[in-house]
Amino acid sequence: MKKFHSLFMLLFLLTTFSAIAQNKVSISGKIIEKGSKQPLEFATVTIQTTDNVTVNGGLTDIDGNYNIQVAPGTYNIKIDFISFKSIVIENKQVNQNTNLGTTIMEPDATILNEVQIEAERSTVEIKLDKRVYTVGNDMVVKGGTISDVLDNVPSVSVDVEGNVSLRGNESVTILIDGRPSNLAGTSVAEILRMLPADSVDKVEVITNPSARYDAEGGGGIINIILKKGKANGFNGSFIAHTGVPADHGGSATLNFRSDNFNLFSNFSYNNRKSPGNSKTDSEYFDSEGNTSSFINERRDSKREREGYTANFGLELFLDKTTTWTNSVNIRSNDGNNPTETYYDYFDANGVYDKTRFRYNLEDEEDDNVQFSTNFIKKFNEDGHELRLDASFATNTDYETAQIDDVVLGTTTPEVDNTYQRTLNDEDENRSLVQADYVLPFGEGSQFEAGYRGSFAELITKSKTETLEGNNWITDPNYTNLLQYKENINALYAQYGSKFGKFSYLLGLRWEDSDIEVNLLDENDYNNKKYNNFFPSAFLNYEFSEGSSASISYSRRINRPRGFFINPFSSLASNINIFTGNPDLDPSMTNAFDLGYLKKWNQVTFSSSAYINITDDSYQFVRRESGDFVTQVIDGEDIVNENNEVVEVIGGEDIRTPVILTTPINLAKEYRFGFEFNINYNPYRWWRLVSNFNFYRNETDGDYTYTDFQDNVVTQNFDNVAYGWFTRVNSKINLPYKIDWQFNMFYRGPRNDPQGRTKGIFAANTAISKDILNDKATLSLNVRDIFNSRKRRSYTNLPQVSSYSERQWRERQVTLSFTYRFNMKKNEKQRNGEQNGGGDDEFMGG
């Protein structure tokens, strides 16, 4: 009887469960964007009870459609998509299969944040004081570096040496997750080439920053936001790549999120070789302006680098309104750069004379550890919040070089050849502390205030030794001990409001700077103390939906750091030497910007005209140092009793003047320009993005110095230069889940105060295929298809005239494989944006 009863209960339960399962009904529909009428893929549809308890949910497909199974009942249906206004359908009775039809979502035009959203929602987001470019789907940078990412962002360009400029202005501040990308002594270009492109989520371009942002950077701010998973559960992705020239590596992004915490991590490893080359053909003149000799310089470099980065973070949800995030970032890179340089000498008639060969083997070890903490308290859902941030970093950079300078074919190598070695040892500690408070009130009004403290100390030891006999002798001209100390405290406040179609944002920032640049071995101490006010103002008017104009003003500062102030950096060439200037003053910029935005169904057009007026701007100048590299060819050695060479009789002298390049402060710089960006979607499967920038740069100032003959020389640096660049990016979705991307870049020629730079053309392409049920993607990309990305320039000085070409990196072909688990192709970027991206606002304050 008990067995019969148990069997009856089992059959009853199975029947009940089966009936419940069979009684499911579906809720379906389609979601599109207002204006463009394009479907919104990956929009979130959540089904909740009337008590707001979630029972089911899902994402829209590529056509914007969704279909979700629930039991019959009454539900609240919530529809969300990043940067769009949420839609809630309350108390919807669902007793049978229900189609909600087409739901139209419109962009969230909340004042002080979004002004407009581009039609290609995963690519461009335009806000009142910045533009945000999501780059997670940019195929042409797969397997590349952050430097490659920036070179594909509109308004941004990266030259062949890796220097970044914004609208043609290199006085730009680069931030990573809102924090300085470089410590005071480290090259920004080098840092950007260390980090993998696959770690980037999006890039914020802030051409005219408001008072909430650091005042550093006369040309603006570029903030690189790294990926940080936000999807529920355990998910992630793995990427492996290989390329020619040798470029091998991989990365892993792992994330686990629960109701109480979010654990995220990112690991990457790279082993790459980036061969480059350069040449300089120089004609030298005597005091009367007649040709005295020619020297042709040819250089090949290998630049081999191996390194890894690791980032660990824990985000704690202390309650519904409080979040505390801690993360540790570790970066280690080892590299060497064997460089071969040939100098061919010719007499005044162009007849070949001799050849020198210079071999420079550089080895570098770079290690960085950074700890960051972030605390956010949200008082309500209207944006009332308090943020507390702190960051502590230590960096060591140890670089050595072995230099052999020999004359080919000489019979007296012990006299004619030179052997040197150099050392650059950098140790730095940097800390940042910050507090930001946001108080919305009324309708569309908001007040913000905050504090930021930045403190850094860098010790750089530079040393050069020359082998004489069996002893290494220190060369005092290229040896120093540099101490750089920076203490900057800042306070800011700003207020914004909106009434009708008009909105404004007014702010004021105050920064107190205490900078020390000390040459300890020479007892040369330079202390610069100053404090400045940095006002900002933004005005915006919306003519209609999808059409608006804005005008803005801000005051900026550009403080010299790193190689700009270090008197010695490298002896890769001993006749063309760069030397820093420890006595450089900061430059101040007043920036004005007038912008216009217009959106049609398939086209978004944004443009701006800008004026930058900079006081005490610094630029690079070249002049003769008065030193000569002298070598005696085929002379007779006179030795002492210890068989040491004490004199050389006869032979032929080769005397080559040493040309110095150094930065100086000039009186005034005026920069005017305009740019426009066009996003065009002629079809759902084809997207075109183009950018054009034109600028006029006028320098007004004189440079006075005493030459090596004690003559006072004044050079007039009054100059007007025009420059422009353009970029076109095309992405096509082909059948069978194949994507093809192609872009082109051209920078027009421009005149410089001491010469002229020719135009640069480059093109990249990539093709990708989704495989393994869309869980994986295979990509092949080619950067610099025509191997044409070379800097070509002319320099004209009274003592020398030269033509040079430099190719920092040759054409690169990369094959990459990406595998995703527990996430869709674009889900990581979407979720990261939807949850605010973590620390992406750290630079405010």
Side-chain angles (χ1 to χ4, degrees):
M1 186 69 181
K2 289 183 178 180
K3 291 182 178 180
F4 176 80
H5 182 264
S6 299
L7 180 61
F8 174 79
M9 290 298 297
L10 178 62
L11 290 174
F12 174 78
L13 291 173
L14 290 174
T15 303
T16 301
F17 289 153
S18 176
I20 293 175
Q22 293 176 1
N23 200 28
K24 292 281 187 179
V25 296
S26 67
I27 299 176
S28 59
K30 182 174 183 177
I31 301 174
I32 65 174
E33 177 190 358
K34 183 178 180 180
S36 70
K37 308 302 181 184
Q38 293 192 16
L40 291 178
E41 184 184 7
F42 298 122
T44 303
V45 181
T46 305
I47 314 297
Q48 297 180 328
T49 66
T50 54
D51 296 327
N52 294 323
V53 177
T54 300
V55 296
N56 204 353
L59 300 173
T60 56
D61 61 19
I62 191 173
D63 297 316
N65 297 317
Y66 61 91
N67 191 310
I68 302 171
Q69 300 291 318
V70 296
T74 302
Y75 299 102
N76 294 335
I77 303 172
K78 186 177 181 181
I79 301 174
D80 295 290
F81 191 79
I82 176 62
S83 299
F84 284 72
K85 293 180 179 178
S86 298
I87 295 177
V88 179
I89 304 173
E90 296 183 342
N91 299 319
K92 179 68 176 179
Q93 288 189 351
V94 183
N95 297 320
Q96 59 185 354
N97 292 341
T98 301
N99 190 316
L100 299 178
T102 299
T103 302
I104 301 175
M105 300 191 74
E106 60 179 308
D108 187 354
T110 303
I111 180 59
L112 307 181
N113 288 314
E114 295 89 0
V115 172
Q116 190 55 265
I117 307 299
E118 295 289 352
E120 182 63 21
R121 54 200 172 274
S122 65
T123 302
V124 182
E125 182 181 356
I126 298 181
K127 299 186 178 184
L128 184 61
D129 55 358
K130 62 186 173 185
R131 286 169 288 172
V132 182
Y133 298 91
T134 301
V135 296
N137 298 325
D138 199 338
M139 299 184 299
V140 298
V141 302
K142 287 290 184 183
T145 66
I146 290 183
S147 183
D148 299 313
V149 171
L150 293 182
D151 201 32
N152 285 326
V153 173
S155 303
V156 180
S157 59
V158 182
D159 67 17
V160 295
E161 285 87 10
N163 300 310
V164 180
S165 61
L166 179 56
R167 300 197 297 198
N169 192 341
E170 292 187 1
S171 298
V172 58
T173 295
I174 309 293
L175 304 175
I176 297 179
D177 281 338
R179 300 170 176 86
S181 59
N182 68 308
L183 304 181
T186 309
S187 165
V188 176
E190 192 63 27
I191 293 295
L192 298 180
R193 285 193 292 263
M194 291 179 184
L195 301 177
D198 299 314
S199 64
V200 180
D201 181 11
K202 51 189 175 182
V203 176
E204 295 181 337
V205 176
I206 311 166
T207 55
N208 206 9
S210 66
R212 79 158 66 97
Y213 299 106
D214 190 5
E216 184 76 32
I221 294 174
I222 299 173
N223 184 34
I224 302 163
I225 300 175
L226 303 181
K227 291 178 181 177
K228 179 181 177 183
K230 288 285 186 176
N232 289 328
F234 181 57
N235 55 79
S237 63
F238 298 94
I239 300 175
H241 72 270
T242 186
V244 178
D247 185 2
H248 316 296
S251 64
T253 300
L254 304 175
N255 183 80
F256 181 79
R257 181 185 175 96
S258 70
D259 294 335
N260 300 317
F261 66 89
N262 180 32
L263 184 65
F264 56 92
S265 62
N266 184 280
F267 310 90
S268 66
Y269 168 81
N270 280 282
N271 188 335
R272 59 169 52 97
K273 296 181 180 179
S274 301
N277 59 82
S278 68
K279 73 174 186 178
T280 301
D281 296 338
S282 301
E283 180 180 2
Y284 293 88
F285 306 100
D286 58 25
S287 58
E288 297 180 356
N290 299 316
T291 300
S292 59
S293 63
F294 298 87
I295 299 178
N296 293 343
E297 176 182 329
R298 300 292 182 270
R299 182 184 305 178
D300 289 300
S301 57
K302 303 299 181 184
R303 287 202 317 278
E304 302 170 350
R305 182 171 293 279
E306 181 179 27
Y308 69 86
T309 61
N311 183 57
F312 308 87
L314 176 62
E315 186 177 17
L316 297 174
F317 310 120
L318 303 181
D319 56 41
K320 292 183 179 179
T321 63
T322 309
T323 303
W324 184 27
T325 305
N326 295 277
S327 64
V328 176
N329 183 277
I330 302 172
R331 184 183 72 241
S332 180
N333 282 273
D334 295 330
N336 63 77
N337 183 19
T339 302
E340 298 179 348
T341 307
Y342 289 87
Y343 302 90
D344 294 330
Y345 289 79
F346 302 84
D347 64 18
N349 297 316
V351 178
Y352 171 77
D353 188 9
K354 298 287 189 302
T355 296
R356 277 178 46 222
F357 171 69
R358 187 175 179 84
Y359 180 73
N360 183 7
L361 177 60
E362 294 183 357
D363 289 293
E364 181 181 8
E365 298 177 7
D366 179 68
D367 297 290
N368 176 270
V369 179
Q370 178 173 286
F371 169 75
S372 302
T373 185
N374 166 260
F375 178 86
I376 302 177
K377 174 64 177 178
K378 296 184 177 181
F379 300 99
N380 56 37
E381 296 182 357
D382 297 327
H384 185 196
E385 68 177 28
L386 172 68
R387 296 177 62 102
L388 302 175
D389 295 89
S391 176
F392 309 93
T394 180
N395 184 81
T396 60
D397 190 353
Y398 185 78
E399 181 179 315
T400 62
Q402 185 75 35
I403 304 171
D404 299 338
D405 195 323
V406 303
V407 178
L408 301 182
T410 181
T411 59
T412 55
E414 69 279 3
V415 176
D416 305 329
N417 300 340
T418 303
Y419 302 94
Q420 294 175 305
R421 60 188 185 189
T422 65
L423 164 70
N424 274 283
D425 188 4
E426 297 178 348
D427 292 282
E428 179 173 19
N429 294 294
R430 176 183 285 272
S431 59
L432 294 170
V433 292
Q434 180 171 318
D436 296 282
Y437 178 70
V438 181
L439 176 63
F441 58 91
E443 184 176 352
S445 298
Q446 183 168 295
F447 172 79
E448 298 179 51
Y451 161 80
R452 176 187 175 100
S454 175
F455 315 100
E457 181 177 9
L458 169 72
I459 300 294
T460 301
K461 180 181 180 182
S462 301
K463 187 177 183 180
T464 297
E465 296 178 321
T466 303
L467 183 63
E468 296 184 5
N470 296 320
N471 300 316
W472 288 99
I473 306 300
T474 299
D475 186 342
N477 293 323
Y478 305 111
T479 299
N480 63 63
L481 182 61
L482 174 70
Q483 180 190 48
Y484 178 88
K485 298 178 70 174
E486 177 182 280
N487 297 289
I488 301 173
N489 292 278
L491 297 170
Y492 82 95
Q494 63 181 20
Y495 173 80
S497 186
K498 177 178 182 179
F499 48 92
K501 296 182 178 182
F502 178 78
S503 61
Y504 65 89
L505 177 63
L506 306 175
L508 182 64
R509 185 182 187 89
W510 175 81
E511 290 191 354
D512 180 78
S513 304
D514 186 355
I515 310 294
E516 294 184 29
V517 183
N518 302 322
L519 298 175
L520 300 180
D521 54 337
E522 299 180 10
N523 293 320
D524 183 4
Y525 298 92
N526 298 274
N527 182 242
K528 298 180 184 294
K529 292 184 178 182
Y530 46 90
N531 55 74
N532 308 92
F533 285 98
F534 299 93
S536 64
F538 294 79
L539 306 176
N540 186 80
Y541 184 80
E542 298 180 36
F543 299 101
S544 61
E545 183 179 355
S547 176
S548 64
S550 63
I551 185 172
S552 63
Y553 162 79
S554 70
R555 189 169 187 243
R556 314 290 300 157
I557 188 173
N558 202 36
R559 300 180 182 90
R561 294 188 178 96
F563 74 98
F564 277 87
I565 60 174
N566 192 345
F568 170 69
S569 59
S570 172
L571 270 182
S573 170
N574 63 344
I575 62 174
N576 291 288
I577 297 176
F578 178 88
T579 177
N581 181 2
D583 197 37
L584 274 180
D585 293 320
S587 59
M588 296 288 182
T589 299
N590 291 294
F592 303 85
D593 199 295
L594 176 64
Y596 176 73
L597 175 71
K598 176 63 178 177
K599 179 181 177 182
W600 296 271
N601 286 340
Q602 295 175 306
V603 179
T604 298
F605 172 81
S606 63
S607 63
S608 64
Y610 54 90
I611 299 175
N612 291 353
I613 303 174
T614 302
D615 294 315
D616 293 326
S617 67
Y618 39 86
Q619 297 188 0
F620 300 111
V621 299
R622 299 188 71 196
R623 63 182 178 89
E624 270 194 300
S625 66
D627 295 328
F628 294 83
V629 174
T630 303
Q631 291 179 303
V632 181
I633 307 301
D634 295 337
E636 180 183 352
D637 300 347
I638 305 299
V639 299
N640 59 18
E641 62 275 7
N642 296 321
N643 201 33
E644 296 174 343
V645 178
V646 295
E647 185 180 359
V648 179
I649 299 177
E652 178 186 355
D653 286 354
I654 296 181
R655 283 170 52 86
T656 306
V658 176
I659 305 299
L660 296 181
T661 300
T662 187
I664 62 169
N665 287 107
L666 287 178
K668 207 85 167 178
E669 181 182 88
Y670 304 88
R671 180 181 293 266
F672 164 78
F674 68 87
E675 70 168 346
F676 62 81
N677 299 280
I678 297 177
N679 280 29
Y680 177 43
N681 290 77
Y683 306 100
R684 287 186 52 203
W685 47 269
W686 188 12
R687 175 170 59 89
L688 285 169
V689 179
S690 63
N691 167 247
F692 176 83
N693 184 84
F694 171 86
Y695 59 90
R696 176 187 185 273
N697 190 37
E698 179 180 347
T699 302
D700 181 10
D702 297 322
Y703 174 47
T704 301
Y705 66 95
T706 302
D707 66 12
F708 62 96
Q709 296 177 337
D710 293 329
N711 297 318
V712 177
V713 179
T714 298
Q715 292 187 19
N716 187 324
F717 274 79
D718 294 351
N719 183 71
V720 175
Y722 296 88
W724 62 277
F725 64 85
T726 185
R727 179 186 286 108
V728 178
N729 192 325
S730 171
K731 186 175 182 181
I732 297 177
N733 303 119
L734 301 172
Y736 306 106
K737 298 181 179 180
I738 297 175
D739 294 334
W740 175 47
Q741 186 174 347
F742 179 81
N743 64 35
M744 296 183 296
F745 171 85
Y746 181 76
R747 174 186 287 172
R750 67 181 187 270
N751 294 322
D752 301 313
Q754 294 182 318
R756 176 176 173 80
T757 300
K758 302 183 69 174
I760 298 176
F761 170 79
N764 312 301
T765 190
I767 189 168
S768 72
K769 172 75 169 70
D770 291 339
I771 57 177
L772 303 179
N773 295 323
D774 294 344
K775 292 183 178 180
T777 302
L778 196 63
S779 300
L780 177 68
N781 66 51
V782 182
R783 291 190 289 274
D784 196 5
I785 301 173
F786 306 106
N787 208 34
S788 58
R789 194 177 181 86
K790 299 180 180 181
R791 179 187 177 95
R792 298 172 296 168
S793 61
Y794 296 91
T795 300
N796 298 300
L797 300 174
Q799 306 88 357
V800 59
S801 175
S802 63
Y803 169 77
S804 64
E805 290 184 3
R806 182 166 188 178
Q807 184 177 25
W808 184 263
R809 183 180 64 186
E810 299 174 3
R811 177 176 44 233
Q812 181 74 48
V813 181
T814 305
L815 177 68
S816 66
F817 173 79
T818 303
Y819 181 79
R820 300 168 289 273
F821 65 94
N822 295 337
M823 61 186 298
K824 292 184 180 294
K825 182 177 181 180
N826 299 322
E827 186 175 359
K828 185 176 183 61
Q829 286 73 29
R830 183 185 63 83
N831 284 321
E833 293 175 2
Q834 192 166 2
N835 290 275
D839 302 328
D840 58 342
E841 295 296 333
F842 185 86
M843 87 286 280

